């Protein structure tokens, strides 16, 4: 307890003097003293005895003088990077004999014996990591091999380089060296000769890093001396060609390596720069690879034009060892059998041959077969060990495969990236990919996709179908059917499809945790959130959503309460007006993670755009503007209501009897005459006709209606007293008849008394039941001459056109008689 108090007092005292911060050292178990960027010019005194890590980077230290007391014998890690050191003395590190990590990078220490005396590092026999890079800007120089060679325990060395470095015999003493790093922004090596690394032949170097080194020359035997090398990085070596890089692999023959990276070693933008043969890996060049055993080999982004299939020939150590090969982002024009040769790699796990921007030479377009011809079977063989295959944007114009596709031996394949290859939707079955868990079909043409396509991939957990040209209503009509077989699906990406609508229960059968619907045209959340209880990530960015509904916000909060939930609405023009202000406040209060919230843009009611943060920070002001009109309308409405009530009371007081009468009539308290029936009339029908047509009516019509069908008629030429008043006779005849039948001919329409008959019928129709007027319409009548007032009181079913009954006069008058005698139309 006492020692703890002393340490605490010492730490507090030191922090007051130098501004250092102290915490527990998670690596070495003592005290971590963080004195970085404190503007000190010397190593501070008063550091705790228990200090195991000391960070003095980014200060102004020129000369190293370690304090005598208290001793720093427990110090294991010392960071002096980014200071102003220019020279080290022989006894500089005498008090730090237990150091394991020393960082002297980014100072002014020239790589020569003056800066590094021969015995300067002699006390540091436990040092394992030494960084000396970004000190010497010279292009030529001689390494202080005697000083550095004393560090026999060092396992990692990161050091500046010269254009033509010469590592003297002193480096041969570094037998424990495992990691040698020349690769950083300041690397200056231009040539790697056969003898450049000779001094490291007795070392244990496993990791060699040349990233960003500007090589112009790389000898075939450059790596011959490093017989324990496991990992080689030669990426971004600007002027090394693919041909030279592969040729240099000869020096690694019969080694058992873990990884080789030759990425971006020929990044010229001009395709015609230099000799084309340097970008062609022929069989002779690839012979340098055959005896190298390496698990991971990467040569991406190198503008390679040709790779011979012998890179994976069955009798090479390379083919028998390779597990991960990445040849993506090149300019391959062939060999078209390269992908098929993968079957000769018995341990291959990962293959990436994406983005070659070439015409399809791998799969020839199949002819269109007639329906009577059985569809052919297209067979492709994969290595049984293969787990991941990436062919993105390489087979640019496959088109339609008119045949059943069978993938052989793909028992281990889990990830298949086949995006942007010009493939049209599968026309027939796809077999052999039942174990696939990730499938990327983006950028292909699946507008004519069959709803049962996904039944061939039952194990999918990740499905990407961006930019595949769905028909507008496809996911509305068939969405649930398409995805129903994917009972393990966790992630789906349907971005860039110009979608506007989909089935509300499209994902109800999938245990989705992530949905990406970005860059579409949805105006609402297009599916029911309640049907996907496991959802954790929803991306609706760059659509047309004004916001979320209250129910959707509630569902998001429920998900966020159970587990982490993220929502992305960036790129939508959100509504921040009065009706949506609650949604804006919810964005800042929800437990869900709202991605890119600072980038959101929303529209106020006045048409101005603001950020949601502005609305949130000015909520009170905006709320008053929103609620003011509402309460004003409430006050005005209340005043209007009071005025109305006072006015109503005044009217009631002045017109009580009238209002009482209106109420009685409104509720039916009034005597109403009983509806008329046929028995109330002496005649069944009044026949209206012109004098020109009297013979036809008095003989033919009368015979059919009275003699044959028993209809009692009122005929003016028979049932009225000659010489009487014509108008009175017409009125009497119509009023004494149950129904009225008008025989409409052109002469009837032109007759003055017939017009009187029409006017009387229109008047009488107000007291008669519906359907009391019938019209028999002859062909000579011009339809435009018929009175509209008459047509207003005649049902369409009661208009009988004689032209429809040609040669069937008996049926015409039978139908008319039935209509006359019908009592149920009222």
């Amino acid at each position: 307890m006492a020692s703890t108090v002393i340490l605490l007092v010492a730490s507090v005292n030191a922090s007051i003097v130098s501004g250092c911060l102290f915490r527990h050292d998670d690596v070495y178990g003592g005290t971590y003293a963080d004195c970085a960027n404190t503007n000190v010019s010397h190593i501070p005194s008063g550091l705790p005895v228990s200090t195991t890590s000391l960070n003095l980077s980014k200060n102004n230290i020129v000369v190293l003088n370690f304090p005598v007391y208290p001793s720093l014998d427990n110090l294991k890690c010392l960071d002096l990077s980014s200071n102003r050191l220019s020279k080290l003395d022989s006894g500089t590190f005498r008090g730090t004999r237990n150091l394991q990590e020393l960082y002297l990078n980014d100072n002014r220490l020239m790589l020569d014996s003056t800066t590094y005396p021969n015995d300067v590092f002699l006390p540091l026999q436990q040092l394992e990591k030494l960084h000396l890079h970004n000190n010497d800007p010279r292009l030529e120089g001689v390494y202080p091999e005697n000083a550095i060679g004393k560090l026999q325990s060092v396992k990692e060395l990161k050091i500046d380089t010269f254009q033509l470095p010469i590592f003297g015999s002193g480096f041969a003493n570094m037998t424990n060296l495992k990691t040698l790093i020349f690769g950083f922004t300041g690397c200056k090596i231009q040539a790697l000769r056969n003898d450049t690394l000779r001094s490291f032949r007795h070392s244990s170097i496993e990791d060699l890093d040349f990233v960003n080194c500007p090589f112009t020359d790389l000898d075939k035997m450059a790596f011959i001396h490093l017989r324990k090398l496991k990992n080689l990085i030669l990426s971004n070596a600007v002027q090394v060609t693919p041909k030279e890089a592969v040729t240099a692999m000869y020096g690694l023959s019969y080694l058992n390596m873990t990884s080789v990276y030759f990425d971006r070693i020929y990044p010229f933008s001009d395709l015609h720069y230099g000799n084309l043969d340097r970008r062609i890996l022929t069989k002779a060049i690839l012979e340098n690879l055959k005896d190298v055993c390496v698990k991971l080999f990467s040569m991406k982004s190198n503008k390679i034009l040709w790779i011979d299939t012998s890179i994976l020939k069955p009798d090479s150590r390379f083919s028998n060892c390779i597990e991960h090969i990445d040849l993506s982002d090149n300019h391959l024009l062939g060999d078209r059998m390269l992908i098929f040769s993968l079957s000769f790699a018995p341990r291959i796990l990962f293959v990436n041959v994406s983005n070659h921007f070439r015409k399809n030479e791998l799969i020839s377009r199949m002819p269109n077969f007639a329906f009577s011809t059985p569809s052919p079977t297209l067979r492709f063989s994969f290595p049984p060990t293969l787990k991941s295959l990436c062919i993105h944007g390489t087979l640019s114009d496959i088109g339609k495969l008119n045949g059943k596709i069978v993938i052989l031996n793909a028992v281990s394949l889990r990830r298949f990236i086949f995006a942007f290859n010009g493939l049209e939707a599968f026309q027939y079955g796809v077999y052999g990919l039942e174990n696939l868990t990730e499938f990327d079909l983006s950028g292909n043409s699946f507008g004519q996709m069959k709803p049962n396509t996904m039944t061939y991939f039952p194990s999918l957990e990740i499905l990407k179908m961006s930019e595949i040209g769905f028909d507008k209503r496809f996911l509305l009509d068939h969405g649930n059917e398409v995805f129903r077989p994917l009972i393990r699906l966790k992630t789906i990406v349907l971005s860039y499809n110009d979608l506007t609508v989909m089935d509300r229960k499209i994902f109800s059968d999938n245990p989705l945790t992530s949905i990406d619907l970005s860059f579409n045209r949805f105006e609402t959340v297009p599916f029911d959130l309640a049907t996907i209880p496991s959802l954790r990530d929803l991306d609706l960015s760059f659509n047309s959503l004004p916001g979320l509904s209250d129910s959707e916000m509630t569902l998001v909060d429920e998900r966020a309460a159970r587990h982490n939930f993220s929502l992305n609405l960036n790129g939508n023009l959100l509504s921040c007006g009065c009706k949506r202000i609650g949604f804006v406040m919810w964005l800042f209060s929800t437990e869900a993670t709202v991605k890119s919230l600072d980038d959101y843009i929303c529209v106020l009611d006045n048409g101005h755009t603001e950020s949601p943060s502005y609305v949130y920070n000015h909520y009170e002001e905006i709320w008053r503007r929103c609620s003011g009109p509402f309460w004003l309308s409430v006050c005005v409405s209340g005043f209007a209501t009071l005025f109305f009530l006072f006015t109503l009371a005044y009217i009631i007081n002045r017109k009580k009897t009238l209002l009482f009468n209106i109420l009685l009539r409104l509720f039916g308290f009034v005597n109403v005459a009983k509806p008329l029936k046929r028995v109330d009339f002496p005649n069944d029908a009044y026949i209206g006709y012109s004098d020109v047509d009297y013979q036809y009516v008095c003989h033919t019509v009368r015979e059919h209606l009275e003699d044959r069908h028993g209809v009692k008629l009122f005929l003016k030429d028979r049932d009225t007293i000659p010489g009487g008043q014509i108008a009175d006779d017409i009125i009497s005849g119509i009023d004494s008849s149950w129904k009225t039948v008008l025989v409409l001919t052109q002469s009837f329409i032109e007759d003055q008394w017939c017009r009187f008959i029409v006017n009387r019928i229109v008047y009488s129709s107000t007291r008669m039941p519906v359907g009391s007027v019938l019209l028999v319409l002859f062909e000579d009548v011009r339809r435009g001459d018929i009175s509209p007032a008459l047509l207003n009181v005649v049902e369409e079913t009661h208009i009988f056109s004689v032209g429809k009954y040609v040669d069937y006069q008996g049926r015409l008058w039978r139908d008319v008689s039935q209509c006359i005698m019908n009592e149920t139309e009222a």
Side-chain angles (χ1 to χ4, degrees), residues 43 88 96 156 188 330 338 375 391 398 422 603 612 627 662 695 701 713 739 754 789 798:
I43 297 177
L88 301 176
T96 58
E156 177 178 310
K188 299 182 287 292
N330 283 291
L338 176 61
S375 61
I391 313 177
I398 291 179
V603 181
S627 59
I662 293 173
Q695 286 190 348
V701 176
L713 302 177
K739 292 188 178 179
C754 291
H798 291 172

Side-chain angles (χ1 to χ4, degrees), residues 285-343:
I285 299 298
L286 294 173
E287 283 290 312
N288 296 287
L289 268 178
K290 71 173 185 177
D291 293 324
V292 180
C293 179
V294 58
K295 293 182 179 180
L296 187 155
F297 184 70
S298 179
M299 286 195 73
K300 61 185 179 182
S301 303
N302 291 314
K303 295 185 171 60
I304 299 174
L305 294 176
W306 183 280
I307 300 180
D308 190 83
T309 55
S310 61
I311 191 174
L312 291 172
K313 63 182 182 179
D315 59 345
S316 70
R317 294 187 76 232
F318 183 86
S319 294
N320 290 321
C321 292
I322 191 68
E323 296 179 1
H324 182 126
I325 187 167
D326 191 340
L327 300 173
S328 60
D329 297 289
N330 283 291
H331 291 167
L332 290 183
L333 299 175
D335 181 342
R336 65 181 183 178
M337 297 301 293
L338 176 61
I339 298 177
F340 288 126
S341 65
L342 295 174
S343 58

Side-chain angles (χ1 to χ4, degrees), residues 10 69 179 193 201 220 227 233 262 280-281 322 390 428 436 446 451 528 678 700 726-727 789:
Y69 182 83
T179 302
R193 309 295 187 189
R201 64 185 180 277
K220 181 175 183 177
R227 306 314 298 167
I233 305 176
F262 289 158
I280 297 175
L281 301 182
I322 191 68
C390 302
Y428 301 92
L436 200 64
F446 270 58
D528 188 355
R678 188 163 63 89
T700 304
I726 297 176

